[in-house]
Amino acid sequence: MNGMSNGFDDFYAIIPAGGTGTRLWPLSRESKPKFLFDLLGQGRTLIQTTFDRLAAICGIDHVCVSTGERHVAAVREQLPELSAEHIFAEPSPRDSTAAIALATAVLMRRHSDDIIVGSFAADHVIRGKLAFIEAVRQAVQTARAGYVTTIGIAASRPSTAFGYIHEGGSLAAQIPDAPDATLVERFVEKPNAVTAQAYLSTGEYRWNAGMFVMRASVLMDHLHKEKPRLARAIDAIADAIVADDHAYETAVETARMHGENPRETVQREDFHAHRDAAMARHWPSIEKIAFDYAVAEPLSVEGGVAMIPGDFGWDDVGDFNSVAALLPSVDERNNKVLGSLDDVTTLDSAGDVIVAGGDRTIALLGVNDMVVVDTPDALLVAPRARSQEVKAIVKHLAESGDDELL
């Protein structure tokens, strides 16, 4: 695909795969976050469908993943087509700015300062393939014009679970190839219900899905200006990773000169010395800060952020109510089941969300609008109306010292 001129030749997609999805406990854990699960029962996990979606746009070798070191093996197992040099492993969580910046800094060194990079979360569900491709296309065009560009999701309800983007004036005259582009007036935090309804009534607000597309140099120049310590640390680690690239390539060439098959004698995993040293020196001190706070919000004040409307189905699968909305009903009483139907029996029960993962039968009698999540070592029972509060149970377990359940 990359040999074709499809308008995305200079575009590289970054998939930050972090977080634990605490509202989906006990299914999602620190050791196996929600992006590693097939939450739609379709045979592909969330990170696999994200990868498929982006690879279809820019090609397999233009997609990379930033994730924690403890998840690298699972990511490689689920995405065997992703080459090792396209996985960026973080020793510890440092939030989205560091994850996106490191991948961007390495890609700049491998390709060009002028490449366009886009960040798309590993654990979101998107429906409407053509509309998504068109939104990304316009975002890439807008990024080429120098804007950090976000894709704003049509707000279908006054949700208090998402941040919002306040839409500004049109940029169509300035960027003819992105007729739907607008300036971003500002980003706003998750509102209360009254404020969310007020946003919706204006027609000027969209949900912030955390999708950002920008010229690599624009991002790194901003970080050097506003977050110089973070940017210098990222640069040092990126230089080390590229040094490992060169050491690996030299070893491959040497093996060929000696008549050896490099695939058999040279393993990229053996060439991490520079990276490991740089990570140990710089990563622990990198500021933990979300991309919105470090980049999007301050640049929007300067008029440097644009938005493309994303008129496709989107969900961040933030709790078990979201999971329920994405699953088909298994009976006329609107019960939803993730897992084997053979493990679930219901009688006079309606509107329940049941996750069967404990290798035993779950029987519900006269139970309505509840969440029941069964796993081998933990069982959650909660009203669906309190799905957003499941993270409070995780916090309670952490404070109680039950770390093995987190």
Side-chain angles (χ1 to χ4, degrees):
M1 175 179 288
N2 289 334
M4 301 163 55
S5 181
N6 59 2
F8 294 104
D9 296 350
D10 59 347
F11 174 62
Y12 292 79
I14 301 165
I15 303 175
T20 56
T22 51
R23 292 184 181 92
L24 291 176
W25 183 90
L27 186 65
S28 181
R29 310 286 184 98
E30 289 181 356
S31 60
K32 190 176 181 183
K34 66 175 179 175
F35 61 81
L36 295 172
F37 285 94
D38 172 15
L39 294 180
L40 304 186
Q42 294 180 342
R44 296 288 279 173
T45 66
L46 294 180
I47 194 171
Q48 286 174 326
T49 56
T50 301
F51 179 84
D52 295 345
R53 185 183 309 125
L54 295 168
I57 291 175
C58 58
I60 288 172
D61 57 342
H62 276 224
V63 182
C64 60
V65 174
S66 290
T67 193
E69 282 184 347
R70 67 191 300 189
H71 305 311
V72 168
V75 168
R76 294 194 67 176
E77 182 181 349
Q78 292 200 4
L79 299 175
E81 59 271 65
L82 187 66
S83 58
E85 69 269 25
H86 290 166
I87 300 177
F88 300 105
E90 303 167 3
S92 57
R94 282 296 176 269
D95 220 319
S96 51
T97 300
I100 295 167
L102 178 58
T104 298
V106 174
L107 290 170
M108 285 175 70
R109 285 157 173 77
R110 288 176 177 171
H111 304 289
S112 161
D113 289 2
D114 291 329
I115 61 169
I116 306 297
V117 295
S119 172
F120 303 86
D123 52 6
H124 293 180
V125 171
I126 288 174
R127 288 173 165 162
K129 181 179 178 181
L130 293 180
F132 176 73
I133 293 172
E134 173 60 13
V136 175
R137 186 196 69 76
Q138 290 199 43
V140 169
Q141 292 289 354
T142 308
R144 287 184 184 133
Y147 291 94
V148 170
T149 308
T150 188
I151 298 176
I153 306 299
S156 58
R157 62 187 186 279
S159 175
T160 60
F162 308 129
Y164 285 73
I165 304 164
H166 188 190
E167 186 176 339
S170 173
L171 291 169
Q174 180 184 336
I175 313 169
D177 288 334
D180 298 326
T182 66
L183 273 173
V184 169
E185 287 286 335
R186 63 182 180 130
F187 291 86
V188 291
E189 295 298 306
K190 297 174 183 178
N192 59 32
V194 173
T195 305
Q197 185 59 60
Y199 288 165
L200 228 64
S201 65
T202 69
E204 297 175 356
Y205 287 81
R206 285 178 169 258
W207 288 335
N208 178 9
M211 302 180 200
F212 292 98
V213 180
M214 62 233 123
R215 192 181 300 279
S217 58
V218 168
L219 170 59
M220 297 310 297
D221 287 350
H222 170 79
L223 290 176
H224 274 284
K225 178 184 173 185
E226 301 296 336
K227 297 287 181 184
R229 287 188 61 193
L230 183 151
R232 286 196 298 268
I234 290 295
D235 280 343
I237 298 169
D239 286 342
I241 290 173
V242 172
D244 285 337
D245 285 350
H246 292 156
Y248 169 74
E249 289 159 5
T250 300
V252 167
E253 189 58 35
T254 301
R256 288 197 179 112
M257 289 173 59
H258 288 89
E260 300 170 352
N261 182 348
R263 292 190 177 187
E264 295 176 355
T265 60
V266 183
Q267 302 299 318
R268 180 173 281 274
E269 292 80 359
D270 296 333
F271 293 85
H272 280 170
H274 296 93
R275 169 202 173 274
D276 290 348
M279 279 288 190
R281 181 178 178 185
H282 298 287
W283 191 259
S285 62
I286 286 179
E287 180 183 359
K288 276 187 174 184
I289 185 169
F291 191 89
D292 285 59
Y293 299 145
V295 180
E297 291 184 9
L299 273 178
S300 69
V301 175
E302 302 172 14
V305 181
M307 186 193 72
I308 304 297
D311 295 322
F312 43 81
W314 170 85
D315 201 298
D316 72 342
V317 205
D319 59 25
F320 285 108
N321 262 337
S322 294
V323 173
L326 296 166
L327 291 173
S329 299
V330 297
D331 55 31
E332 68 281 358
R333 290 177 173 264
N334 203 32
N335 290 307
K336 308 292 184 84
V337 174
L338 183 63
S340 173
L341 287 176
D342 294 338
D343 292 336
V344 178
T345 296
T346 63
L347 187 61
D348 296 333
S349 299
D352 296 310
V353 186
I354 306 144
V355 180
D359 294 326
R360 57 185 169 186
T361 297
I362 300 171
L364 302 186
L365 171 63
V367 176
N368 298 327
D369 299 316
M370 297 291 284
V371 174
V372 180
V373 184
D374 192 23
T375 69
D377 63 343
L379 169 67
L380 170 72
V381 180
R384 279 187 62 171
R386 301 186 67 176
S387 292
Q388 280 276 313
E389 299 175 53
V390 170
K391 66 176 182 178
I393 281 284
V394 178
K395 182 181 179 184
H396 180 71
L397 288 168
E399 290 170 349
S400 301
D402 293 313
D403 294 346
E404 73 280 359
L405 293 174
L406 302 181

